[in-house]
Amino acid sequence: MSEVLEQGVLGDIPYYVRRLTVEDLQRILDLQQEVVKALPNQETLEPLSAEEFLFILKGNGLMIGIFNHDRLIAFRALLIPIVDDQSLGRDIGLTDEADLKRILYQEISNVHPDFRGYGLQKKMATIIMNQIDTSKFDYVLATVMPYNIPSIKDKFHQGMHIAALKEKYGRKLRYIFVKYLHKHLQLRDESVFISMGDIEGQQNLLHNGYVGVAYKKQDDDWLIEYKKVSNEGLE
């Protein structure tokens, strides 16, 4: 078994966290099936196949799992993606092959329905991001469907921002979030709030140098807060 990264008690639930290996594949698939079955809208999650999990587990990324005794109750994955025409890096404006090789994707994150409300997704985000070898990577990217509020909240909590809103995965609209591991984005003070449902309006803002930095609920809708990148850009 791999090294325990953290252990403790959440509420009345003892837990420990470790890296997952190929031997954990069936547990991963079983947990993913439980999560998908419990979703009210199954389009909010892009399930991974056994082959995709194996690709990560065989050295092309990192997966961690939270266990209650010997039961896998949550997992989270980072993927080292293949550099191709579909790279999310190209969607945020990267063109140099060297830059595109220094990207990680935040892949799937699952928490068993019986163990929601304990902050496991937030805990896994902190742990897995601390496992990144920052000498090898500069960018962490992720895609999220508009109105998938738990995932949007998760990404903003990690200090990520929305850099694009495009059709991915067979013409499905997705926010593309990015976190710079070595630089800080300089933003102007003024904010523009716009409905998540106003796709064209958001795309226009993104095209004109704005990024999404936060979200809030207003009446029966959810808004994204956009700020313009300053002339200094990244530092």
Side-chain angles (χ1 to χ4, degrees):
M1 189 175 74
S2 56
E3 172 192 0
V4 172
L5 302 173
E6 182 178 306
Q7 57 187 337
V9 178
L10 288 167
D12 57 349
I13 296 175
Y15 76 94
Y16 66 90
V17 185
R18 66 168 173 83
R19 290 194 180 207
L20 299 177
T21 68
V22 171
E23 286 70 32
D24 295 303
L25 178 61
Q26 192 56 54
R27 297 191 207 197
I28 293 167
L29 292 171
D30 290 344
L31 176 52
Q32 178 176 250
Q33 187 175 20
E34 289 292 324
V35 170
V36 169
K37 282 196 304 184
L39 286 174
N41 178 4
Q42 297 193 358
E43 285 195 1
T44 60
L45 181 70
E46 295 286 340
L48 298 190
S49 66
E51 292 74 20
E52 288 171 316
F53 282 123
L54 281 173
F55 183 77
I56 297 172
L57 294 167
K58 288 181 175 179
N60 298 292
L62 166 66
M63 288 190 70
I64 62 169
I66 298 184
F67 291 80
N68 171 233
H69 302 295
D70 289 328
R71 180 186 182 188
L72 180 66
I73 61 172
F75 66 77
R76 191 159 195 150
L78 291 174
L79 168 69
I80 303 172
I82 296 169
V83 177
D84 59 17
D85 291 343
Q86 299 303 309
S87 171
L88 298 179
R90 299 188 194 279
D91 293 321
I92 66 165
L94 300 180
T95 56
D96 192 291
E97 196 82 1
D99 286 333
L100 293 168
K101 289 180 178 178
R102 295 182 64 84
I103 286 173
L104 281 170
Y105 289 177
Q106 279 198 3
E107 276 288 343
I108 200 164
S109 177
N110 279 180
V111 176
H112 193 285
D114 293 347
F115 293 89
R116 288 179 185 151
Y118 291 94
L120 298 185
Q121 183 159 260
K122 184 176 176 182
K123 178 173 287 295
M124 288 191 296
T126 300
I127 294 170
I128 203 166
M129 293 294 276
N130 286 336
Q131 295 295 307
I132 294 174
D133 183 348
T134 55
S135 69
K136 296 180 179 179
F137 302 101
D138 295 325
Y139 312 90
V140 179
L141 293 105
T143 59
V144 179
M145 185 179 82
Y147 291 104
N148 182 349
I149 303 305
S151 288
I152 289 169
K153 178 181 179 181
D154 171 68
K155 301 302 177 285
F156 281 135
H157 174 78
Q158 295 178 65
M160 305 181 85
H161 66 265
I162 295 170
L165 175 54
K166 295 190 173 185
E167 290 183 343
K168 307 294 289 185
Y169 316 123
R171 300 181 64 80
K172 295 179 181 178
L173 272 169
R174 292 294 185 266
Y175 289 120
I176 299 173
F177 282 82
V178 60
K179 181 179 180 66
Y180 300 115
L181 298 178
H182 299 288
K183 296 179 180 179
H184 181 67
L185 196 62
Q186 302 296 305
L187 301 173
R188 296 181 183 175
D189 291 336
E190 313 84 54
S191 294
V192 176
F193 288 89
I194 186 169
S195 168
M196 286 186 197
D198 185 351
I199 303 304
E200 184 177 350
Q202 292 178 91
Q203 289 174 331
N204 285 337
L205 287 172
L206 290 161
H207 180 73
N208 286 293
Y210 287 77
V211 295
V213 298
Y215 75 105
K216 71 175 183 179
K217 190 169 188 181
Q218 182 172 291
D219 301 324
D220 294 328
D221 197 9
W222 292 90
L223 310 182
I224 295 290
E225 178 184 4
Y226 284 90
K227 289 192 173 187
K228 193 162 191 176
V229 179
S230 71
N231 292 334
E232 290 77 21
L234 289 165
E235 68 170 19

